[in-house]
Amino acid sequence: MLRAPIVRGTQLLSKWSLRSFGVPTRRGQIHACRLSSQAASVLTKVEDYKPGDHLNGFTIEQVVPIPELYLTAVKLNHDRTGAQYLHIARDDSNNVFSVGFRTTPMDSTGVPHILEHTTLCGSQKYPCRDPFFKMLNRSLSTFMNAWTASDYTMYPFSTMNPQDFENLLSVYLDAAFFPRLRELDFRQEGWRLEHENNQDCNSPIIFKGVVFNEMKGALTSPEQLFGIHLQNKLMPSNTYSHNSGGEPLNIPDLTWQQLREFHATHYHPSNARFYSYGNLPMERNLELIDKLVLQKFDKIEPKTEVPNETRWDEPREFHVHCAPDPMAADPEKQTTISVNYLLGTITDQYESFLMSFISSLLVHGPPAPFYKSLITANIGSDYSAYTGYNGSTKDASFSIGLQGIKKEDLDKVKQLIEQTFDEVIQTGFESERIEAILHMIELSQKHQTTMFGLGIISSLMSSWNHDADPVTCLQVNKHVNQFKQSLKDNPKFLQEKVRQYFKENSHKMVLVMTPKEDFKKQTEEAEQQKLSEMVARLSTQDKEKVFQTGLALAEEQNKEEDLSSLPTLRVSDISPQLVRTHFDLTNIGGVQVQCCQQPTNGITYFRGLSSMKTLPDELLPYVPLFCGVITRLGAGDMSFQELAQREELKTGGLGMGTHLVQYHSDVMSYEQGVTLSSSSLDRNLPEMFSLWTEIFNRPTMSDNDRLSTLVRMSASDLAMSLANSGHAYAMKGASSSLTPVARLKQLMGGMTQVTFMKGIAECEDMMETMTKLKQVASHLLNKENMRCAINSSPEFMSSALSELESFLETLPGQAGNNEAMFVKQACGFVPSQERNHYELPFPVNYMSRGIQAVPYTHPDFPTLRILARLMSAKFLHREIREKGGAYGSGASMGTDGVFKFYSYRDPNSINTLESFSHSVEWAIKGDYTQQDIDEAKLSIFSAVDGPVAPSDKAMTFFLSGISDDMRQQQREGLFAANKQSLIDVAQRYLTPNAQVTAEAFLGPENTMSQDKAGGWKIHKEAM
Ligand SMILES: [Zn+2]
């Protein structure tokens, strides 16, 4: 997909919430940005301000340089309204803005969530529906979103273009502070009674509404349901006992009037926190925000403070239910249990740092005590959802448990948890473990990626929302030093904390969730009862109004909208020239090495690529599993725990992945291999390479129990990914018969792979699998067909290369291949028309159609790319999402040479396939404007010109052989596309029978695919 659709999420608790700033997790690091000589000027300018200075209606409260993060924080307060403001000056052109409000509902009607939706239905200055979605096509934004958490609602965006920043700022501010909030918008987004068929007053009256349906869908996820129960029951006395997203049965109690009142009292400057970040001048932001918003308000007392939770005298236990999971590998193992502890308040920043640190020690990775006692014991499939530290509520919490266990094992898990705490209190943590976590903090501060500004506000918002000082929260080194001192003063310091927070804590809750056969039926009956009660109360007059409102809403939705009020960038604002990246190619002992000098801030990034050229076909399906386990089994004299420990202590992790790319100039040729990737502080580079040396030369491939643990985790991840990424699986299915590389992607990452992994997970004995993995290793773990890349600072590059040289000398095999790519031409591949239905017990479908098209360097490729975007935004979105009721849809021109259509969480199937066809007719008719084409170009360029972190520079060339010259040519092709060329390519590639076409979908039983004439092949293997 070229651009992910805006997803408005309701965040509850964050899984793996080691989110307190500075403690990285493998699943999501806090990001950093580029640095350059300009850094000084951006920072010194704001450092001239002093507390007490007045500026554009604001008073400066603090100016604090934080050298370890290369930034200066400025905290301000708005004089007239009391609005709080945090500016982070940093030499990063990916500027961020966000406004957040403390939204603390006292019921489960979902009022903050429905409000978040309704504010995006048009505002005073921009009276059009869904301005965020529309701005996607008029902007070069690098991020746009809005979300409702348990106690705040936040509206952030980022962009690298200064004009775009002001455009988006204006749209965001107007949406948040001056939304129209019309009753029809509330009915559309929140809830309404409406006839099932809104044109027919004799059809039954049912509940409708975007949030109503969204929450019904969300609560079908057992993990989400578990998270909601967890929070509601652990903090029962105030706002956290309610569901801020909305309980489907409570949503219909919300009135339009209540929604407007909630907006007036909560979306008010006196209850707001503004944030800006980057290299744009702070003064201009203050001036605009003061002028556009703050001058129009007076101060109020929002009274949104959340009191601390009253502590319990004794532990509690709750038992809740969910629907059985039809996809579960073992139906007997569907119980989840977690033990939860309420900790200190998150506004105590050092204590929060400490608790998230201890949580990392306890649960993170194979050397952690809970990993050893719970995961390695093979009782369940994985940790329970929300395991770890959680700092997203005013009082923090810690959760530990297992999912996918047998009911009979509940007591055993409880015992193991108690026992593990006892052992930790007794023996403490190894000093190497503590060093490893400190090392990860250091690495995360230095590692620079592209979303640093957004990372900061996401990690600050929860504690700032409760009036913690956001600046202190950023001072990671202060906390680290205090921590080291405490440990020096008292070596048993951590053990005492564990005793205090876990052993002696009576605010403790056991939560058990088990499936119940009639859970779904009961939920439906409860909704039906609520509905009949409400319908019974309707007078004849009310009923007439229900019908009329339904008609009015339908009419409103079909209206052509006037978007002229929305600001837009122009295509001429985009630079015609690509920003080029310099790198050198060299050869070390027969291995080609790419060196790219970047301001990497003391970290060296290594990538390797080992070709699968010699691998026999029957071993191909094992490659993803091989990549997933080979760095996690142990190597040389190291057990898997010891290897993981060395990784955390000396590196940013060692990773291996499947590599499949189409050759940029031929749809029938491709490269297949595995990638290696790792990074380390410059000083640790020798240790990093020595770990790779052990893995290449002496991997431990004998521990079948360990393999079985890893297989189960990976199979359950894959099964879970089906519902979230069903469209990606459908697209892979619809492409697999069209190009050789797409066929391999299906085999190694599509439904074929899911079925394959399910089969392996069901095997009791891992012996045969281990044998296959050993064969894969013998083909891939050598330097015979290898190339490498190093991204490092100019000062360190030559040292890095000599370390690489020593490493390569240790590898088996004879290098001597000097090809830039290991391109393989598929012989005998003939594209064919296939139709595949992957039958799965979902309530919705994921549809896709693929059409064989052209490779990256073909002159039609950029035109097809623009066409795909145009069709997505101007046709498919309306037909499949707005009219069809699917969550998402689109088209894309992929680098696998296939033009693809898709839909996401789609109630339809045959209609959607027809819409795909109609979009082609629409494209050929040319019934769109120059503005429409320009919007498609802007949208493509915002992806093409997105920020690239120093660690990732020149990776496009390394991985796919696409040079800057080719990218410049592509760029010119994108600019050149016009209506005639769009019509031409639509005719040449997309009309029926022009090229080979295939279709695939994921979804439940379907009469369409059962019709023999359709030629569908039905697969039930993955169920
Ligand atoms: Zn929502």
Side-chain angles (χ1 to χ4, degrees):
M1 223 177 355
L2 294 170
R3 185 72 190 256
I6 283 195
V7 177
R8 295 205 207 106
T10 295
Q11 294 194 332
L12 288 145
L13 302 156
S14 53
K15 195 186 181 192
W16 293 98
S17 51
L18 305 166
R19 275 206 324 185
S20 184
F21 190 73
V23 180
T25 69
R26 287 283 158 73
R27 294 193 178 191
Q29 296 220 342
I30 299 286
H31 309 296
C33 67
R34 72 205 51 197
L35 294 164
S36 74
S37 52
Q38 284 172 16
S41 71
V42 176
L43 300 184
T44 45
K45 197 152 182 282
V46 296
E47 282 172 17
D48 287 345
Y49 290 115
K50 289 180 297 303
D53 283 356
H54 294 283
L55 190 62
N56 298 335
F58 288 81
T59 301
I60 293 184
E61 294 189 331
Q62 294 183 67
V63 181
V64 184
I66 302 178
E68 64 263 34
L69 298 173
Y70 312 95
L71 61 82
T72 297
V74 186
K75 199 175 162 231
L76 308 98
N77 204 293
H78 189 252
D79 301 330
R80 185 184 162 91
T81 60
Q84 301 183 53
Y85 196 111
L86 177 67
H87 176 72
I88 302 287
R90 198 165 190 264
D91 181 40
D92 182 353
S93 56
N94 197 14
N95 285 275
V96 180
F97 168 81
S98 154
V99 58
F101 306 100
R102 186 154 64 199
T103 46
T104 46
M106 293 311 291
D107 58 42
S108 292
T109 57
V111 57
H113 183 193
I114 294 171
L115 181 57
E116 175 222 314
H117 276 246
T118 316
T119 52
L120 299 180
C121 292
S123 61
Q124 284 178 14
K125 226 191 280 178
Y126 308 112
C128 62
R129 237 182 310 127
D130 220 344
F132 282 20
F133 209 92
K134 275 144 198 154
M135 284 305 288
L136 275 184
N137 303 318
R138 305 165 82 95
S139 152
L140 292 172
S141 71
T142 49
F143 184 86
M144 284 181 74
N145 214 335
W147 60 78
T148 312
S150 306
D151 53 15
Y152 67 82
T153 308
M154 184 168 143
Y155 296 81
F157 71 78
S158 64
T159 176
M160 297 165 78
N161 180 302
Q163 179 59 50
D164 200 28
F165 188 89
E166 292 198 4
N167 290 353
L168 290 167
L169 182 66
S170 172
V171 172
Y172 266 60
L173 291 176
D174 212 55
F177 290 96
F178 310 108
R180 291 182 297 180
L181 301 184
R182 299 174 309 172
E183 185 172 8
L184 269 188
D185 300 331
F186 165 63
R187 293 291 164 212
Q188 174 181 287
E189 298 299 320
W191 73 275
R192 64 184 182 275
L193 290 172
E194 191 177 285
H195 291 278
E196 196 166 356
N197 171 0
N198 58 11
Q199 306 296 321
D200 175 8
C201 64
N202 292 318
S203 66
I205 293 178
I206 57 168
F207 287 128
K208 291 185 186 176
V210 175
V211 171
F212 181 82
N213 283 320
E214 183 188 331
M215 291 315 294
K216 262 174 73 174
L219 295 181
T220 57
S221 145
E223 293 209 352
Q224 288 230 25
L225 192 62
F226 191 75
I228 289 170
H229 282 299
L230 196 166
Q231 179 171 308
N232 293 167
K233 293 182 167 55
L234 188 65
M235 288 165 270
S237 65
N238 202 269
T239 186
Y240 303 120
S241 64
H242 307 292
N243 180 354
S244 67
E247 284 293 328
L249 284 189
N250 298 126
I251 290 174
D253 297 333
L254 184 68
T255 67
W256 178 44
Q257 191 51 33
Q258 284 166 341
L259 181 88
R260 290 159 63 96
E261 275 161 21
F262 196 86
H263 178 264
T265 48
H266 291 76
Y267 281 34
H268 187 283
S270 306
N271 193 45
R273 284 158 188 82
F274 292 91
Y275 169 79
S276 56
Y277 163 92
N279 64 0
L280 291 176
M282 165 184 84
E283 296 79 0
R284 174 75 177 148
N285 298 340
L286 298 178
E287 183 194 329
L288 283 172
I289 293 166
D290 183 54
K291 192 179 86 188
L292 295 172
V293 176
L294 300 180
Q295 281 180 10
K296 299 171 186 168
F297 288 88
D298 290 314
K299 201 174 199 151
I300 61 163
E301 281 303 328
K303 297 206 180 75
T304 50
E305 294 83 6
V306 180
N308 285 99
E309 187 65 37
T310 318
R311 303 294 147 146
W312 301 346
D313 298 331
E314 50 186 34
R316 299 181 188 179
E317 175 155 349
F318 296 94
H319 194 149
V320 297
H321 295 287
C322 63
D325 177 5
M327 303 277 293
D330 182 349
E332 292 305 307
K333 291 180 111 181
Q334 287 198 59
T335 294
T336 304
I337 175 173
S338 75
V339 184
N340 305 277
Y341 301 84
L342 199 68
L343 310 174
T345 161
I346 56 169
T347 54
D348 184 341
Q349 315 242 7
Y350 176 62
E351 206 64 18
S352 303
F353 170 83
L354 203 60
M355 287 319 300
S356 94
F357 197 104
I358 292 175
S359 162
S360 296
L361 287 171
L362 288 170
V363 301
H364 183 76
F370 277 114
Y371 194 102
K372 285 183 187 162
S373 65
L374 295 180
I375 301 289
T376 312
N378 280 347
I379 310 167
S381 60
D382 204 342
Y383 282 135
S384 52
Y386 308 102
T387 283
Y389 173 79
N390 194 299
S392 70
T393 46
K394 187 167 183 188
D395 291 298
S397 59
F398 175 85
S399 180
I400 179 72
L402 280 177
Q403 64 187 32
I405 65 165
K406 282 195 200 128
K407 233 172 153 178
E408 300 82 74
D409 285 337
L410 280 170
D411 285 333
K412 192 165 164 190
V413 177
K414 281 193 228 171
Q415 268 168 20
L416 281 173
I417 290 174
E418 289 303 319
Q419 220 173 305
T420 310
F421 278 128
D422 288 338
E423 278 165 23
V424 169
I425 293 168
Q426 194 88 66
T427 56
F429 298 101
E430 294 162 51
S431 59
E432 246 196 10
R433 282 282 295 153
I434 297 171
E435 266 176 63
I437 308 281
L438 286 171
H439 167 258
M440 284 161 69
I441 293 176
E442 182 182 356
L443 205 59
S444 77
Q445 286 178 8
K446 293 189 168 162
H447 175 62
Q448 301 163 56
T449 60
T450 53
M451 285 297 181
F452 186 78
L454 207 58
I456 286 189
I457 187 61
S458 309
S459 62
L460 280 183
M461 196 57 197
S462 282
S463 60
W464 189 20
N465 189 47
H466 296 292
D467 295 326
D469 176 19
V471 180
T472 323
C473 184
L474 292 168
Q475 292 167 304
V476 185
N477 281 2
K478 216 169 101 179
H479 295 147
V480 168
N481 293 336
Q482 193 180 342
F483 170 72
K484 285 181 178 164
Q485 191 58 44
S486 309
L487 209 55
K488 220 166 122 192
D489 295 345
N490 174 9
K492 294 206 155 182
F493 165 65
L494 288 174
Q495 284 144 276
E496 284 167 14
K497 283 284 169 194
V498 172
R499 182 195 301 278
Q500 173 200 341
Y501 278 112
F502 303 113
K503 216 52 204 177
E504 292 165 0
N505 186 351
S506 53
H507 201 119
K508 167 181 165 184
M509 178 186 84
V510 176
L511 182 64
V512 175
M513 186 163 84
T514 47
K516 201 167 148 192
E517 267 322 310
D518 58 354
F519 183 83
K520 208 174 144 228
K521 195 170 142 244
Q522 280 186 358
T523 314
E524 282 164 3
E525 279 170 7
E527 182 190 323
Q528 206 49 50
Q529 196 187 338
K530 177 108 191 165
L531 180 68
S532 4
E533 280 166 21
M534 290 186 82
V535 173
R537 284 202 298 270
L538 296 178
S539 65
T540 324
Q541 221 174 355
D542 293 337
K543 283 192 177 149
E544 179 59 23
K545 197 178 165 212
V546 163
F547 182 58
Q548 291 303 335
T549 308
L551 291 178
L553 199 57
E555 196 188 313
E556 182 77 16
Q557 284 167 342
N558 284 325
K559 237 194 240 166
E560 244 345 285
E561 278 199 295
D562 178 11
L563 302 183
S564 58
S565 64
L566 283 176
T568 181
L569 287 181
R570 290 180 307 268
V571 173
S572 58
D573 292 326
I574 302 167
S575 161
Q577 291 300 319
L578 176 83
V579 180
R580 288 168 181 264
T581 306
H582 177 79
F583 60 85
D584 300 302
L585 290 176
T586 168
N587 191 291
I588 298 180
V591 174
Q592 182 173 285
V593 178
Q594 173 180 313
C595 326
C596 186
Q597 299 187 354
Q598 291 290 325
T600 55
N601 201 23
I603 302 182
T604 293
Y605 298 87
F606 161 73
R607 264 77 159 217
L609 191 144
S610 180
S611 164
M612 288 187 223
K613 225 165 151 162
T614 64
L615 197 73
D617 283 355
E618 82 261 16
L619 291 177
L620 287 173
Y622 290 92
V623 171
L625 179 62
F626 173 80
C627 292
V629 303
I630 192 65
T631 61
R632 299 160 80 189
L633 289 170
D637 301 328
M638 292 173 285
S639 68
F640 72 89
Q641 284 107 337
E642 284 161 343
L643 176 59
Q645 180 98 315
R646 299 308 294 168
E647 277 187 45
E648 286 187 4
L649 201 54
K650 299 294 179 188
T651 77
L654 307 182
M656 216 183 254
T658 314
H659 170 83
L660 290 168
V661 295
Q662 179 169 285
Y663 184 54
H664 47 67
S665 305
D666 176 17
V667 283
M668 286 298 150
S669 302
Y670 58 93
E671 183 179 55
Q672 57 175 9
V674 296
T675 51
L676 323 175
S677 63
S678 63
S679 61
S680 77
L681 295 168
D682 291 345
R683 63 169 192 262
N684 292 331
L685 198 61
E687 281 95 338
M688 183 190 90
F689 279 130
S690 82
L691 293 178
W692 277 122
T693 296
E694 292 295 307
I695 290 168
F696 267 73
N697 289 292
R698 300 197 295 153
T700 308
M701 302 188 79
S702 50
D703 185 347
N704 289 350
D705 282 348
R706 174 64 178 160
L707 181 61
S708 152
T709 306
L710 294 172
V711 162
R712 253 197 337 272
M713 286 168 102
S714 125
S716 98
D717 276 357
L718 268 182
M720 225 145 21
S721 72
L722 289 177
N724 289 328
S725 312
H727 61 313
Y729 286 103
M731 284 194 274
K732 280 181 187 144
S735 310
S736 71
S737 62
L738 301 177
T739 67
V741 79
R743 165 136 294 176
L744 286 167
K745 285 185 176 183
Q746 167 79 346
L747 181 68
M748 292 193 234
M751 286 305 293
T752 315
Q753 176 69 205
V754 175
T755 309
F756 177 77
M757 277 303 293
K758 189 166 188 274
I760 289 190
E762 280 162 1
C763 280
E764 281 296 315
D765 188 1
M766 284 292 142
M767 186 107 114
E768 197 197 323
T769 305
M770 193 63 105
T771 308
K772 297 285 186 190
L773 294 182
K774 282 183 195 162
Q775 292 169 9
V776 174
S778 71
H779 286 273
L780 293 178
L781 297 183
N782 62 62
K783 62 182 166 194
E784 273 167 30
N785 295 297
M786 189 184 227
R787 64 175 183 269
C788 298
I790 296 280
N791 284 24
S792 187
S793 62
E795 309 82 67
F796 193 73
M797 187 56 90
S798 67
S799 313
L801 291 178
S802 72
E803 290 301 335
L804 176 63
E805 183 168 10
S806 316
F807 163 63
L808 290 173
E809 277 166 11
T810 68
L811 296 190
Q814 201 58 45
N817 206 321
N818 242 329
E819 298 166 51
M821 283 183 87
F822 305 101
V823 176
K824 189 167 171 175
Q825 172 115 41
C827 10
F829 182 94
V830 183
S832 63
Q833 186 176 342
E834 278 187 12
R835 295 183 121 185
N836 289 298
H837 174 192
Y838 300 94
E839 207 175 286
L840 290 161
F842 296 149
V844 285
N845 297 301
Y846 302 82
M847 310 297 299
S848 181
R849 173 182 294 165
I851 301 170
Q852 199 204 29
V854 294
Y856 183 83
T857 54
H858 191 283
D860 287 339
F861 188 92
T863 319
L864 284 163
R865 229 171 139 179
I866 302 280
L867 181 65
R869 183 64 217 157
L870 180 72
M871 289 159 91
S872 304
K874 299 294 165 185
F875 189 89
L876 296 168
H877 182 75
R878 187 178 68 222
E879 296 300 314
I880 298 176
R881 183 175 148 123
E882 290 180 356
K883 292 188 190 162
Y887 200 83
S889 68
S892 74
M893 180 59 234
T895 47
D896 56 359
V898 179
F899 188 98
K900 307 176 190 77
F901 296 93
Y902 71 90
S903 71
Y904 187 70
R905 293 195 193 154
D906 187 352
N908 303 305
S909 51
I910 199 159
N911 289 348
T912 297
L913 294 178
E914 279 167 7
S915 294
F916 293 161
S917 305
H918 292 152
S919 72
V920 175
E921 291 155 22
W922 172 87
I924 290 169
K925 232 172 91 197
D927 196 8
Y928 33 86
T929 63
Q930 187 58 40
Q931 170 71 22
D932 294 338
I933 298 170
D934 287 350
E935 287 185 7
K937 289 186 183 180
L938 274 165
S939 163
I940 295 281
F941 274 108
S942 79
V944 168
D945 289 343
V948 180
S951 54
D952 294 330
K953 290 269 173 153
M955 274 304 116
T956 311
F957 181 76
F958 180 71
L959 294 172
S960 59
I962 293 173
S963 66
D964 279 353
D965 284 339
M966 295 174 194
R967 293 173 64 215
Q968 178 63 32
Q969 211 165 39
Q970 173 88 195
R971 196 174 183 85
E972 283 156 23
L974 292 170
F975 278 116
N978 57 38
K979 191 187 264 191
Q980 195 50 52
S981 66
L982 291 168
I983 294 173
D984 288 348
V985 294
Q987 266 164 338
R988 196 169 317 139
Y989 298 98
L990 307 184
T991 46
N993 308 321
Q995 306 290 336
V996 187
T997 299
E999 281 160 356
F1001 74 103
L1002 273 60
E1005 239 183 37
N1006 192 309
T1007 48
M1008 172 181 77
S1009 61
Q1010 281 163 351
D1011 181 358
K1012 291 270 181 299
W1016 288 92
K1017 185 164 179 221
I1018 301 175
H1019 305 256
K1020 299 182 188 234
E1021 307 91 69
M1023 268 172 83

